[in-house]
Amino acid sequence: MVCNRCILMIGQELEKQELQVRSVVLGEVELENESLSKEQFDRLDASLRLMGFERIDDKKAKLIESMKSLIIQFIHNKESSERKYNWSTVLSESLHFDYNYLSNLFSSVEGVTLEQYIIKQKIERVKELLFYDELNLSEIADKLGYSSVAHLSTQFKKMTGFTPSALKKSREIDMERKSLDHISE
């Protein structure tokens, strides 16, 4: 689950299946009664697949999804005055694991480094902010914790093949944007 609509959809589906929900947050659902029957799991899995989701019960897969959700939350949803995050600290403190372990696990399973994933998320956020044309490039760089507009522009061009200004002018941005759950592909 990567957005508030996803959380809402999952919550509604769980209620529809009469499962008692303790909490639904990005990437994680906690039920009051965690011991469901095989039939309940099968029914839940089928309905989640129809909505484009899947239940993850492997601990390492859950940890990776937690990392992704946390990164997405910080880059796409967090409204904070402090934009420069030490990702190793944020991830290790939030998930209670050593950063090297998290980084190695992520890379081995996802086939991309954690740093590359963070950069891809930031670039998608830049595309979104450029598309809505509410902030200038300097404000976008500041909002996403870039040290300068030049750093943002260099990273953006490396990832997309366009400068932010060229992409904004051409309006190809609409075709270039990806949904959040497909960014690592």
Side-chain angles (χ1 to χ4, degrees):
M1 296 179 292
V2 295
C3 68
N4 290 333
R5 286 186 306 271
C6 298
I7 291 170
L8 180 64
M9 287 175 58
I10 296 296
Q12 289 173 344
E13 184 59 33
L14 294 168
E15 285 179 17
K16 185 171 135 185
Q17 293 198 23
E18 298 179 356
L19 299 173
Q20 302 300 314
V21 178
R22 187 174 295 152
S23 71
V24 179
V25 295
L26 287 175
E28 188 176 314
V29 171
E30 190 177 344
L31 299 175
E32 292 291 338
N33 178 10
E34 303 229 358
S35 58
L36 302 179
S37 69
K38 180 173 175 6
E39 181 182 293
Q40 287 175 305
F41 274 127
D42 290 344
R43 195 171 49 244
L44 179 60
D45 288 343
S47 64
L48 290 175
R49 273 193 299 280
L50 287 174
M51 295 187 303
F53 298 106
E54 65 180 304
R55 187 176 51 84
I56 301 171
D57 57 1
D58 173 85
K59 290 201 182 296
K60 288 181 180 179
K62 283 182 184 179
L63 186 56
I64 289 170
E65 286 305 310
S66 293
M67 284 187 265
K68 287 180 175 181
S69 293
L70 192 60
I71 291 165
I72 288 168
Q73 182 180 6
F74 269 70
I75 292 173
H76 295 275
N77 301 329
K78 189 142 176 110
E79 292 300 325
S80 170
S81 59
E82 177 57 45
R83 291 293 171 194
K84 294 186 182 187
Y85 302 112
N86 180 329
W87 286 103
S88 60
T89 303
V90 167
L91 291 169
S92 57
E93 285 181 358
S94 297
L95 301 172
H96 311 291
F97 283 94
D98 178 66
Y99 179 75
N100 288 330
Y101 171 75
L102 295 172
S103 179
N104 290 333
L105 175 65
F106 192 92
S107 298
S108 67
V109 173
E110 293 296 313
V112 64
T113 67
L114 201 46
E115 180 181 4
Q116 290 168 330
Y117 181 77
I118 291 167
I119 291 168
K120 287 178 180 184
Q121 287 291 339
K122 285 177 142 184
I123 295 304
E124 287 305 312
R125 181 68 170 139
V126 171
K127 288 179 187 179
E128 179 182 1
L129 293 170
L130 287 171
F131 179 76
Y132 291 114
D133 204 22
E134 294 173 358
L135 303 173
N136 64 38
L137 207 48
S138 178
E139 292 168 323
I140 292 172
D142 184 56
K143 181 174 184 72
L144 292 174
Y146 283 96
S147 57
S148 67
V149 172
H151 181 217
L152 165 62
S153 296
T154 301
Q155 207 171 66
F156 191 90
K157 184 165 185 172
K158 184 178 178 183
M159 298 296 291
T160 66
F162 298 95
T163 64
S165 301
L167 193 59
K168 185 176 179 179
K169 285 178 189 169
S170 70
R171 287 297 179 188
E172 290 179 19
I173 196 166
D174 205 22
M175 297 183 311
E176 292 289 321
R177 292 186 61 210
K178 297 179 183 178
S179 65
L180 295 180
D181 54 345
H182 290 99
I183 289 178
S184 64
E185 297 174 353

